Structures are given as C-alpha cells and as structure tokens.
Amino acid sequence: MPSYTVTVATGSQWFAGTDDYVYLTLQGTDGCSDRHLLDKPFYNDFERGAVDSYDVTVEEDLGEIQLIKIEKRRYWYQDDWYLKYITVKTPVGDYLEFPCYRWITDEKEVVLRDGRAKLPRDDKTQILKQHRRKELESRQKMYRWKEWHPGFPLSIDAHSHSELPRDIQFDNEKGIDFILNYTKAMENLYVNRFMHMFQSSWSDFADFERIFVRISNTISEYVMQHWREDFMFGYQFLNGCNPVLIRRCTEIPKKLPVTMDMVECSLERNLTLEEEVKQGNIFIVDYELLDGVDANKTDPCTVQYLAAPICLLYKNLEKKIVPIAIQLGQKPGPDNPIFLPSDATYDWLLAKIWVRSSDFHIHQTVTHLLRTHLVSEVFSIAMFRQLPAVHPLFKLLVPHMRFTIAINTKAREQLICECGLFDKANATGGGGHVQMVQKAMKDLTYSSLCFPEYIKAKGMDSKEDIPYYFYRDDGIKVWEAIKSFAEDVIHIYYESDEVVCEDVELQAFVKDIYVYGMRGVKASGKSLLTAVLSTAGFHCGLLLCLQYDWCSWIPNAPPTMRCPPPTEKGTVTIEQIVESLPDRGRSCWHLGAVWALSQFQDTELFLGMYPDEHFVEKPVKEAMAKFRKNLDEIVSIITERNKNKKLPYYYLSPDRIPNSVAV
C-alpha cells in the first residue's frame, strides 16, 4: 500500500505547542485518504519548536496531493497551536511543502494548499476553486471594515486586541501594552518622581537636563547642545524627526508678507528676495493644517495652545538650510508679526520653538499615525479580505503586514482614544488629533505615498542643489531596492498587463483599498505594491528611531505650549519661554512616550528578513537573495558615509528598518 511521510513543524512562540488530538487527511486528484490520528494527549508531539514526522499509509494511490486538512480536537482546556508548515514525501519520492504559519484555535481545522503560488486563472479543478472561494468568504467575515471616526481611513472592526483574529494578534500582548510600557519607561528614565507634577514649571533650560541625563545619546546630546542654532533648526527639516514637509518655494505666499528689507541681512548672494526665489534658494514649511484645530482642554487647570506657523528658509552659500522668517499664524496683521534672525534673541528663539512644536504635532498625527499606521492597516485588511494565501501577492505582502492591525487596535484601545495616553501631554490631544487626520485626508494621494514622486513634487529631488538631504538620498535607494524586488516577483507570475487585468482577486484588493480604506483615493500599477511595502517598512522605521534622538530634548520638540504665541516683538523673556514649555508632569509623559515608541520589538524582523517561507519557488527565493544583497550594499554605503560624522544619519539603513508597522 502507498505510504506518505508527513513532517509537521510547530512554531517556537511561547505556548505554540498543543496536547490536543490532531488529525490529518490527504486530498489528492484520485481520491482522499482516511482521517489519520497524528497525536494524542501527552504523547509529547507538537511541542513548541518541534518538528515531528509520521508515516501515513493509504489503501490506494491518491494521485497528486492538492489539499491537506488538519483538525484539532480539544482534550481538556483551551490549547492553541501554531502550525508553521507541513511537508509531504510522496510514494515516488517527491517532496511537497504546505506553508501554514497560522494559529489553530479551539476545535478548529485548516485546509492547506501546497506552497506554489497560483493566480485565480491557474486553478483548473473545482476542488481548488472552491477552496480558494471558501477561504476568502471566511476571511471577509473575520476582517470587517469599520469607521472609527468620520473621514478616517476605515479600520478593523474590533474594539480591543483580544477581539482580533488569533492569527494577527501579538504573541505576547503585554509586550505592546502602552500603559505598561509607559510605566516601565518612567522607571527606566528615573522620571516617575516628576510625572504627577502637572502645572509645575521648570526653572530654566538647564533644569530640563534633570530628566534628560538618563537617556542621552550621541545625537540627543548634540541636539541639546545645539538646538538654539539656526543651522540645527534648518537641518531638522532635512534630516530630523519630520523631514517630509519642506518644499522649494516658487512664490512667496501673500499670507506671508515678507519684504526684502526684512531678510536682506540673511541673504548672501547680493540678490533680491525675488531673484533668490527664482534661483531656487528659498524654501518654505507651512503648518496650515493646524489652523483651527482645537487645543487640548482635558485638563481644566492648564490652558494649552497650538499655532499654525509659516517658516521661510534659505539655502546659504554653504548649501545649508537656515531660517530667515517665521510667522506664527496664517493671517498677516499687526498682532501676527514676522519674526527674523535679526530680532531680539528670545523673540527669535521662541518663534523657532513654536515651529518645532508644530512640527512635532504634524509628525505624530499626520506623518506617523495617518500616513504610516492607518494607511498600512488599510493595506493589511484589504489583503486579508481579497487575497487568498495561495496568491503570490499575499505571499509577497504578508510579512510586511505582521502585527500592523494589532498595534493599531491597541493604539485605539489605549493611546489615541478618548482619555487615552495621548491626551496626557499633547496639545493636540482631546480631539485635536482627530481633526488633524480628517483635514490631512484631503491631501492624501497615492503619489504622495510614492517616495520619489513625493520628493520631486516638493522640488527637493536635486542632490546637487541640496546635498545634505540624507533622508531623500537613503530613502530613494531603499525605495528602488524594494521596487526592484517587487517587480522581480511580479514578473514571475504576471507575463503581461492583460494577466494583471484578468486577476479578479488583485482587482478586488485594489478596489477594497480604494472604496473602503482610502475613501476614494485612486491608485494603480506596480507603484502601489512598492508604496505598500515602503509604507510598511522604511516609513515606520524612520519614524520609530527618530523620535528618541530628536524629541527627547523637550525644548526642541515641545508636545504642548502653555502660553499663547507672542503677538508683538521685544517682550519675550527667558522666563516667558520656560513658562510656555511643558510643565514637569507633561515633560515626563512626553519623555516616556518617545522612549517607549522608539524601542524595537524583541522579535523584530528587519527589511529583507523572511523566516516564514510562504514562497517555495526557486525564482522567488533568488529574487529574495538579490533583494538582500541590494540592501546589504545600501547598508555599506550608509555606514561608510557616517564615519566620523558628528550627526550620523542611519535611520534608513535597511538593517534598522522593520519589515512591518508594529510599533
């Protein structure tokens, strides 16, 4: 009688093994095997990290094995089992791989196909077509769209992390408990003695060092020492925490009535301001999105303020970017002066602090929350709803969706919800962050998710004109590597545009993103897949690492301001600046936040790491090897450039970029 050798691999996560009854059934083109009992309770099979083998004898040859059914029947108590994969050695010596990488919970069963990726058109038999359809029908019941706030990208229909499908939950929920992690951060930073001291101001800038000394590093110390300098202020628009807002100014906006007399002493080329604009030497950052956003009112004892500044910058003869004019409101007028480097020291310093605070709010809520977390969640839900596990694009995308829905659900549960941790220290808490996302959705386009297009649209693409824009340089290298990898994989399965158009599952995936997730924002082509992978990867990696380095020195990134923006010049004192900055309690909450949000997961996977082998085909594995080689070359280039730099830029080095949005 024909005999098959079946090998079963159990995951290495905590509690991944099972003591339940496990049954296996083989389905072939010529028949179906009997239901075989592989494991009984206390047989010590299917333990955490184990690989177990069994001989399965059948009455007659089953033909080509198409499906494997695994059933788990409870012995005593709830006992989830993480099944990595199954391999089958046929009677003629062929090996078939059946990837799973899923949890089997309660008394459930899974039906697996072999690991070869297939498009819908490749399935010829009714049994495979039916399996494909049933998998998507089941997933669409589990992964439902929900509107968390009007105008937001749609998110998963789950109120808490525990309500999520088991396959997308964190292995250890404690590891991503924001409240627990914040508390640990306070203890690690030795600042818990200050964290309840709301309304208690620091005495001066040096006083902030009392909570800074425990977490300082090379970059954060450099920021602390140089944050007042115009060079450092300008540098951050290129390589700081939020290097995505600066754009080349093609015309001075009417709402910023800067004159030549105001900025003449800052210009170095003996040109007029208009001539400098024409030559491409003037840049602008406009925080118009913050105009009209309500400031945090959750603490009646502390009035908090927001501003919507406009900052004009200049590329000097050293090709470095420096500020030359700041207006703290959108509407020009006598009570909204334009602050200049030639003004009194504290006038100019406070104006720059207001810009830094506004930049922090845009970074946290728009760049980080909306354009990274919420957008990646849209991609994740659409993938689970419309692409079966056998689809090549599911196999390509799923490693980059790891824990994304879980971290966002946890954030909605604890961090950005009403009365959540976000309200503790941020001026945009208490609902302002919701207004910001709603406003920012109007400017969210697919082209803005395509890195090179986004940089070019802002006029920031010339390396010769702007040589110190490392975010751009490294980002484009990583983008091109991801794009090349995506194209290599796509070309294996799609030989023409007609095949793409005929793929009903791909079209449903794009439609789900377009109609439900992105609320009507259109996309098409390979750039979408590159945007998905880069949003899930280097955008989050960049934002994750940067927060600690650039935001831990509170005066450089104030999460709130306690006095309104100045309405006249010549009145600002050092005491007024300190009173404007966050109090001791909010400073500590902020510090705990940037510390906690800057830590990688213990099980973090970085770009190019694919320990779960969803693909089994040799050409795809060769494409992965090529991808890793390209990434290694980028790491070497960045490492070499950073040698002996006082301000190394390593945030987009692939060995520091997570594979997915999970923090």
Side-chain angles (χ1 to χ4, degrees):
M1 291 188 293
S3 179
Y4 295 81
T5 301
V6 177
T7 302
V8 182
T10 297
S12 58
Q13 303 95 319
W14 287 107
F15 308 112
T18 183
D19 282 323
D20 286 350
Y21 294 96
V22 175
Y23 298 89
L24 174 138
T25 304
L26 301 175
Q27 174 72 58
T29 53
D30 298 334
C32 182
S33 74
D34 293 331
R35 185 169 174 255
H36 292 268
L37 177 63
L38 297 184
D39 186 37
K40 297 179 181 179
F42 308 115
Y43 269 46
N44 294 324
D45 286 352
F46 305 142
E47 292 188 338
R48 172 175 170 248
V51 178
D52 302 292
S53 293
Y54 307 89
D55 289 326
V56 176
T57 302
V58 298
E59 295 293 332
E60 56 186 20
D61 184 59
L62 303 176
E64 182 182 350
I65 301 299
Q66 294 190 310
L67 300 173
I68 288 181
K69 181 165 74 173
I70 293 288
E71 303 171 69
K72 186 170 76 70
R73 297 292 175 251
R74 183 183 297 186
Y75 167 67
W76 184 18
Y77 59 90
Q78 172 92 13
D79 190 13
D80 296 347
W81 176 36
Y82 189 84
L83 174 59
K84 291 177 65 178
Y85 60 83
I86 293 175
T87 61
V88 176
K89 182 182 178 182
T90 68
V92 297
D94 294 334
Y95 283 88
L96 301 174
E97 299 178 50
F98 293 80
C100 182
Y101 302 105
R102 291 165 55 189
W103 289 93
I104 304 178
T105 61
D106 301 323
E107 295 194 74
K108 298 291 179 62
E109 61 185 46
V110 295
V111 180
L112 305 175
R113 290 184 56 166
D114 77 81
R116 293 171 295 176
K118 300 291 183 181
L119 298 175
R121 69 169 190 165
D122 298 326
D123 287 344
K124 306 301 183 184
T125 65
Q126 194 60 35
I127 188 173
L128 294 181
K129 292 179 181 179
Q130 186 180 45
H131 174 264
R132 197 173 194 122
R133 185 179 68 253
K134 284 186 174 181
E135 180 183 6
L136 290 181
E137 288 173 352
S138 174
R139 291 237 213 99
Q140 286 165 11
K141 292 176 182 177
M142 289 191 293
Y143 297 87
R144 302 175 304 277
W145 294 108
K146 179 183 178 181
E147 185 177 66
W148 189 56
H149 280 291
F152 270 51
L154 296 192
S155 53
I156 194 74
D157 184 6
H159 293 95
S160 64
H161 179 269
S162 60
E163 292 182 10
L164 295 173
R166 183 66 180 91
D167 288 332
I168 61 171
Q169 291 183 21
F170 280 101
D171 298 331
N172 176 16
E173 188 176 355
K174 281 188 177 180
I176 49 88
D177 187 294
F178 288 108
I179 296 174
L180 181 63
N181 289 344
Y182 272 39
T183 304
K184 286 181 180 178
M186 301 295 184
E187 294 173 355
N188 290 338
L189 304 173
Y190 295 88
V191 298
N192 42 357
R193 67 189 186 279
F194 297 116
M195 62 184 291
H196 300 296
M197 297 175 67
F198 291 92
Q199 290 83 52
S200 174
S201 298
W202 302 96
S203 57
D204 52 33
F205 292 136
D207 207 16
F208 282 97
E209 293 185 43
R210 296 176 64 184
I211 61 169
F212 179 76
V213 64
R214 291 284 180 179
I215 67 163
S216 59
N217 68 2
T218 302
I219 293 180
S220 59
E221 286 179 358
Y222 193 91
V223 172
M224 180 189 70
Q225 295 163 2
H226 299 278
W227 70 280
R228 302 191 201 199
E229 299 171 15
D230 287 353
F231 155 73
M232 176 58 74
F233 180 85
Y235 178 87
Q236 291 182 74
F237 288 112
L238 299 178
N239 303 305
C241 200
N242 195 35
V244 300
L245 297 183
I246 187 170
R247 59 182 175 85
R248 197 183 297 271
C249 182
T250 56
E251 182 181 6
I252 304 295
K254 292 181 180 179
K255 63 182 180 180
L256 181 65
V258 175
T259 66
M260 180 61 182
D261 289 341
M262 291 180 182
V263 299
E264 185 175 10
C265 61
S266 298
L267 307 181
E268 299 179 352
R269 294 179 175 84
N270 294 320
L271 300 174
T272 66
L273 179 59
E274 289 74 17
E275 290 169 338
E276 294 279 16
V277 169
K278 288 180 181 179
Q279 290 202 5
N281 298 322
I282 303 297
F283 300 83
I284 192 168
V285 179
D286 189 348
Y287 297 92
E288 183 179 13
L289 185 135
L290 284 164
D291 192 32
V293 172
D294 294 330
N296 194 337
K297 296 181 177 65
T298 58
D299 181 0
C301 298
T302 301
V303 181
Q304 301 180 60
Y305 296 90
L306 293 168
I310 308 170
C311 181
L312 206 64
L313 300 123
Y314 177 64
K315 183 183 70 177
N316 63 22
L317 290 175
E318 295 179 340
K319 293 191 175 182
K320 294 180 179 178
I321 303 296
V322 293
I324 59 173
I326 295 171
Q327 182 177 283
L328 297 180
Q330 292 289 308
K331 296 179 181 178
D335 59 348
N336 187 20
I338 297 175
F339 292 93
L340 308 167
S342 56
D343 289 339
T345 299
Y346 292 135
D347 283 2
W348 182 235
L349 181 60
L350 182 57
K352 290 191 292 182
I353 289 174
W354 268 105
V355 172
R356 295 296 313 134
S357 181
S358 300
D359 197 74
F360 176 78
H361 295 310
I362 298 291
H363 155 73
Q364 288 283 47
T365 303
V366 179
T367 312
H368 191 182
L369 173 61
L370 171 60
R371 299 180 67 87
T372 302
H373 279 267
L374 299 185
V375 168
S376 290
E377 183 174 2
V378 167
F379 297 148
S380 298
I381 298 171
M383 178 197 73
F384 282 113
R385 285 174 53 83
Q386 304 298 348
L387 300 177
V390 72
H391 198 289
L393 296 187
F394 179 89
K395 293 173 179 284
L396 175 65
L397 294 177
V398 69
H400 301 279
M401 304 296 140
R402 181 175 179 256
F403 300 146
T404 295
I405 299 174
I407 192 67
N408 286 3
T409 303
K410 201 69 180 177
R412 285 187 289 269
E413 191 180 348
Q414 294 183 328
L415 187 62
I416 56 175
C417 56
E418 187 175 354
C419 302
L421 293 173
F422 195 80
D423 292 352
K424 293 283 187 182
N426 290 280
T428 51
H433 60 302
V434 173
Q435 297 172 8
M436 290 175 67
V437 171
Q438 291 167 335
K439 294 175 72 172
M441 276 295 291
K442 299 172 184 176
D443 296 322
L444 180 63
T445 63
Y446 274 107
S447 62
S448 71
L449 297 177
C450 297
F451 191 80
E453 291 182 37
Y454 188 64
I455 294 293
K456 187 172 183 178
K458 290 183 173 293
M460 301 295 294
D461 52 317
S462 173
K463 292 184 180 182
E464 183 178 351
D465 279 353
I466 315 163
Y468 304 110
Y469 199 7
F470 306 127
Y471 164 71
R472 172 204 60 206
D473 299 342
D474 297 352
I476 288 178
K477 289 185 181 73
V478 175
W479 171 276
E480 291 297 334
I482 293 173
K483 181 183 177 184
S484 176
F485 172 54
E487 289 177 345
D488 287 346
V489 175
I490 289 168
H491 289 153
I492 294 170
Y493 301 98
Y494 295 95
E495 64 266 25
S496 68
D497 291 343
E498 288 73 22
V499 178
V500 173
C501 295
E502 292 170 1
D503 185 346
V504 293
E505 290 168 349
L506 171 59
Q507 302 307 322
F509 168 65
V510 174
K511 183 180 178 181
D512 239 27
I513 293 173
Y514 166 53
V515 174
Y516 299 107
M518 303 293 285
R519 319 304 290 267
V521 179
K522 293 184 179 180
S524 61
K526 298 166 189 173
S527 61
L528 169 61
L529 293 177
T530 312
V532 172
L533 298 177
S534 65
T535 300
F538 78 70
H539 286 169
C540 189
L542 167 77
L543 301 169
L544 175 69
C545 303
L546 281 166
Q547 294 190 77
Y548 169 73
D549 288 347
W550 294 95
C551 301
S552 56
W553 178 244
I554 307 266
N556 189 59
T560 188
M561 298 291 278
R562 296 180 297 143
C563 295
T567 57
E568 58 181 338
K569 297 186 180 185
T571 62
V572 179
T573 63
I574 182 64
E575 291 77 17
Q576 181 182 344
I577 294 178
V578 173
E579 284 296 319
S580 297
L581 290 169
D583 55 38
R584 294 169 189 254
R586 287 180 176 82
S587 296
C588 293
W589 277 103
H590 169 78
L591 208 54
V594 298
W595 170 268
L597 294 175
S598 297
Q599 306 306 304
F600 290 118
Q601 299 273 343
D602 291 339
T603 57
E604 195 74 66
L605 297 176
F606 295 96
L607 196 59
M609 296 172 62
Y610 299 105
D612 294 352
E613 296 190 37
H614 292 276
F615 283 107
V616 300
E617 296 94 323
K618 184 178 178 181
V620 182
K621 292 185 176 183
E622 290 173 348
M624 288 179 175
K626 175 186 168 185
F627 183 39
R628 283 189 288 269
K629 181 181 178 182
N630 290 340
L631 295 177
D632 289 342
E633 291 175 357
I634 296 172
V635 171
S636 298
I637 292 170
I638 293 173
T639 301
E640 183 64 27
R641 183 196 65 207
N642 283 334
K643 285 183 178 179
N644 303 317
K645 275 190 177 294
K646 293 180 180 178
L647 273 177
Y649 192 86
Y650 48 77
Y651 306 106
L652 291 181
S653 183
D655 57 348
R656 299 178 62 92
I657 299 175
N659 240 355
S660 63
V661 178
V663 178

